[in-house]
Amino acid sequence: MRQTIVAGNWKMNGSKEMVNTLILGILQGMPYIESQVIVCVPYPYLSQVESLTTHSQLQVGAQNLNANPFGAFTGEVSANMIKDFGAKYVIIGHSERRTLYGESDTIIAEKVKIALENDLTPLFCIGELLEERKTGKTETVVARQVNAVIDKVGIESFKNIIIAYEPVWAIGTGVTATPQQAQTTHAYIRSLLAQNDVNIAQSVHILYGGSMNPNNAKELIACEDIDGGLIGGASLKSDDFLSICKAG
Ligand code: PGA
């Protein structure tokens, strides 16, 4: 039985004051939640969130990292640095990174590798564009994205990887995949992993992301192969985020 995982992706939102209010709000609700809960915050707030969440069950992640360990990479942040500031998780391969910053499957696989080498759990994101869904390419696209990482780090590494299936057309649009659409793709992703290792395929967490909110979370998470959510917009309000956490 896979425990539900709910992760917030704050994206480029926040201020010291907002972070304080949001984290304290989430912490108040934590005793009533059985899901594993993670917040993935912008780099500058990692330290603040680390301090606020000490001795709590709330876990902390970053939203990106550089695939190199250190060096002349102006403006970049390494796996070691985010770990130093309390992150145990890191989002890798989010569609905004893939489309706005040109991150290829190869770069993403390298980032997954360095995260694992630093004992960070990647929240590895995959998902198809609207055009790809319309033309029946969803499975080809997610297979390509997943296989790039399997080829780089091996199937065994998926014991320490969380997958987030986020159809790009559902991110930030208010259009959510129907539970059936999401379940079908989640089951397909699990079957891809099963071609390599049946036990790992059964144990890996596959989260759904894309306009998940308090109204649709329960029905999505109830699907057999949906093990929780990666939440953008609705993770910025503690009440909304907590009610999604309770849906698990
Ligand atoms: P959304 O974002 O919940 O605002 O659609 C999800 C994500 O991008 O991870």
Side-chain angles (χ1 to χ4, degrees):
M1 187 66 189
R2 297 177 294 266
Q3 187 194 14
T4 301
I5 299 176
V6 179
N9 173 12
W10 293 2
K11 309 194 181 188
M12 198 173 71
N13 294 294
S15 65
K16 283 200 263 187
E17 196 185 331
M18 180 266 210
V19 168
N20 229 38
T21 311
L22 181 50
I23 292 291
L24 293 179
I26 297 170
L27 288 175
Q28 278 190 350
M30 284 300 287
Y32 311 101
I33 286 164
E34 285 168 24
S35 308
Q36 185 184 335
V37 185
I38 305 163
V39 282
C40 296
V41 312
Y43 296 138
Y45 301 113
L46 277 172
S47 172
Q48 186 184 351
V49 174
E50 181 189 24
S51 312
L52 288 167
T53 56
T54 320
H55 309 305
S56 82
Q57 299 294 322
L58 184 57
Q59 293 176 304
V60 185
Q63 300 171 12
N64 184 28
L65 46 63
N66 187 279
N68 295 285
F70 59 86
F73 302 100
T74 303
E76 292 294 286
V77 172
S78 73
N80 223 9
M81 291 171 185
I82 61 175
K83 208 174 134 188
D84 218 9
F85 281 92
K88 296 205 164 52
Y89 299 82
V90 57
I91 296 173
I92 295 177
H94 190 279
S95 74
E96 286 150 20
R97 304 286 328 164
R98 290 178 188 264
T99 55
L100 302 174
Y101 301 96
E103 291 192 10
S104 63
D105 288 330
T106 310
I107 291 173
I108 288 159
E110 281 167 6
K111 290 187 173 194
V112 168
K113 183 165 183 279
I114 196 130
L116 292 168
E117 285 168 1
N118 284 276
D119 296 324
L120 292 162
T121 302
L123 286 155
F124 163 50
C125 301
I126 57 175
E128 81 288 0
L129 303 168
L130 182 58
E131 196 51 37
E132 292 165 338
R133 174 158 286 263
K134 281 190 180 155
T135 51
K137 296 199 185 103
T138 300
E139 295 191 351
T140 316
V141 170
V142 298
R144 192 199 71 223
Q145 293 169 331
V146 170
N147 286 330
V149 171
I150 297 179
D151 290 348
K152 183 79 182 175
V153 299
I155 188 70
E156 279 288 311
S157 296
F158 278 76
K159 286 181 181 160
N160 300 310
I161 293 174
I162 298 169
I163 297 176
Y165 168 61
E166 300 202 302
V168 180
W169 45 273
I171 296 179
T173 57
V175 181
T176 319
T178 63
Q180 184 162 14
Q181 279 174 322
Q183 165 57 29
T184 303
T185 310
H186 280 233
Y188 174 70
I189 296 163
R190 210 178 289 289
S191 77
L192 272 176
L193 298 170
Q195 287 168 19
N196 295 273
D197 189 306
V198 177
N199 293 331
I200 289 175
Q202 271 316 307
S203 63
V204 75
H205 282 82
I206 309 177
L207 315 185
Y208 168 81
S211 300
M212 197 188 260
N213 60 45
N215 298 324
N216 59 30
K218 210 176 179 76
E219 216 187 333
L220 284 159
I221 296 174
C223 296
E224 192 182 339
D225 289 293
I226 302 182
D227 306 315
L230 180 56
I231 321 299
S235 72
L236 296 170
K237 288 198 189 126
S238 56
D239 287 352
D240 286 354
F241 187 57
L242 285 167
S243 72
I244 297 173
C245 295
K246 279 185 196 137

